[in-house]
Amino acid sequence: MTARGVQIAGTGCLCACGLTAKDCFEGALSGRARFALPAGRVESAYAATYPVFMLPEEVLQKCPPRQSVSLFFFLESAREAFLQAGVSPQELASKRVGVIVGTSVDASFHCFNVYKNWRAGRTADGDAERLAHYFSSSTAQAVSHRFGFTGPFQTVVTACASGTDAVGLAKSWIDSGLCDAVLCGGADEINLIPYDGFIRLLIASKERCRPFSKDRAGINIGEGAAALLLVSDALAREFSLTPKGYVLGYGNACDAFHPTAPDPEAKGLKKAISFALAEAGLSAGDLAFVNAHGTASQANDAAEAAAFNALLSGVPVWGSKGVTGHTLGAAGAVEAVLCLQALNRRIIPPTFGFTRADETLGFAPVTQASEITKRAALSDSLAFGGCNAAVVLGAEDYYG
């Protein structure tokens, strides 16, 4: 008998299409999102040419001095998750509460100016402090300390699969009895290195991205965070918590095909999806939809199509990056929250940006808001280094 899924007691989210989980889903339904040139956010020769999906300036202004924007984003989404759950961090302080945060920028890219100074043979005020912060930095540790938790913490850095891996690992910490609750998710901010990096890899678009379209021209970087509070059945009973959904299954596989390009045959992704479905005890026919990674790069969308056609034929495909952009390490967590909203409201949003079908892919994504009745969905993520991850999520009423 398949083990029962792990309860999600609360969620929070903020990104270019909204500042709360509910607001983000409304943006996903309407296509509303902040898409603009990143003037003032990055010092790049491309900043006047390649737009991004980003949060409003008034949100960024609330970030405390000497705190990373990514950490600020995650703390904001975590507070929403606790509020939605109806339990405070203080009430959980005596419990074994773990923290898992997926990120790319917050783990790696905050000492770039230090490196540039070193290469130029000079130093600047604050370089030593920035370098020390870089070597000791852990987003998950900072979150854990901020909320007064004493359980285990882990910062996951599997590039663009980080958020999905964080959710899946959180499930395993509950299943194994390691934790009573786990605050998990992902966070990333607009940053020069991924911004310039994707442009120089020739996979960024100067226009709003078009997932799975025949004329797709590449990705748009985004930013944001999402948090999910996973709890054991015992803790849910103790605090009378009501489910907002379930993590039913998780799969991860690394095919090591290429440092930056996906495997065209999607061997690793097929394994990740298969593992997630097997752990959930479900088949493709049980899924209401799949939320695709759908970056709108030629290679990514083709690789996903290979996996979907092999394992998920006939399952509706929804691409959400036309309203969120590619939020990097946060993407899998943001999309998990959007999936839960879709399941609980029984509707799949359109794939914004899609224009016309690519016959080589073998399917077209959902283009109109569509009602659903099935109570489970799958969300997948692909990443540099051949990392692939997938989670199967259940609606709040999955168990009746």
Side-chain angles (χ1 to χ4, degrees), residues 2 18 65 73 113 120 136 160 171 176 184 186 203 208 210 213 222 232 238 287 296 327 347 386-387 390:
T2 303
F73 286 166
N113 288 334
S136 63
C160 303
K171 178 183 185 299
S176 67
C184 64
I203 55 174
R208 195 159 172 169
R210 301 185 287 274
S213 294
S232 68
E238 180 179 348
L287 300 177
T327 56
I347 188 168
C387 297

Side-chain angles (χ1 to χ4, degrees), residues 51-74:
V52 298
F53 285 89
M54 57 186 176
L55 284 157
E57 186 61 32
E58 54 266 29
V59 174
L60 299 171
Q61 290 173 353
K62 296 178 183 178
C63 180
R66 308 174 75 82
Q67 178 176 294
S68 78
V69 174
S70 297
L71 174 57
F72 168 70
F73 286 166
F74 188 80

Side-chain angles (χ1 to χ4, degrees), residues 171-338:
K171 178 183 185 299
S172 72
W173 284 13
I174 299 289
D175 283 339
S176 67
L178 179 64
C179 293
D180 303 308
V182 182
L183 178 65
C184 64
D188 261 330
E189 68 199 73
I190 300 296
N191 178 275
L192 176 65
I193 296 176
Y195 178 76
D196 274 12
F198 280 107
I199 293 169
R200 292 178 181 179
L201 284 170
L202 305 179
I203 55 174
S205 175
K206 296 179 181 179
E207 302 172 342
R208 195 159 172 169
C209 65
R210 301 185 287 274
F212 300 105
S213 294
K214 187 179 182 68
D215 60 348
R216 63 191 185 277
I219 76 169
N220 307 127
I221 290 291
E223 65 180 352
L228 301 89
L229 180 63
L230 273 59
V231 298
S232 68
D233 288 342
L235 189 137
R237 287 192 296 270
E238 180 179 348
F239 289 91
S240 301
L241 305 180
T242 57
K244 308 306 184 296
Y246 297 87
V247 183
L248 303 175
Y250 164 60
N252 172 286
C254 183
D255 52 52
F257 175 78
H258 187 272
T260 59
D263 176 8
E265 298 180 11
K267 292 187 289 291
L269 180 58
K270 290 174 184 175
K271 288 183 178 180
I273 291 172
S274 296
F275 294 156
L277 287 172
E279 185 173 70
L282 300 178
S283 65
D286 299 311
L287 300 177
F289 63 90
V290 54
N291 176 272
H293 192 57
T295 63
S297 76
Q298 288 288 331
N300 174 92
D301 292 9
E304 276 195 282
F308 295 166
N309 290 330
L311 300 176
L312 304 174
S313 180
V315 178
V317 175
W318 167 37
S320 53
K321 287 186 172 65
V323 291
T324 65
H326 192 350
T327 56
L328 306 177
V334 168
E335 289 160 22
V337 171
L338 291 176

Side-chain angles (χ1 to χ4, degrees), residues 62-79 82 88-91 93 97-99 101 106 133 138-151 153 183:
K62 296 178 183 178
C63 180
R66 308 174 75 82
Q67 178 176 294
S68 78
V69 174
S70 297
L71 174 57
F72 168 70
F73 286 166
F74 188 80
L75 290 171
E76 289 293 294
S77 63
R79 292 184 183 104
F82 286 119
S88 69
Q90 292 76 20
E91 291 176 287
V97 182
V99 177
V101 183
D106 208 43
H133 174 75
S138 166
T139 312
Q141 181 182 35
V143 172
S144 182
H145 288 180
R146 181 64 58 90
F147 289 125
F149 299 146
T150 57
F153 51 80
L183 178 65

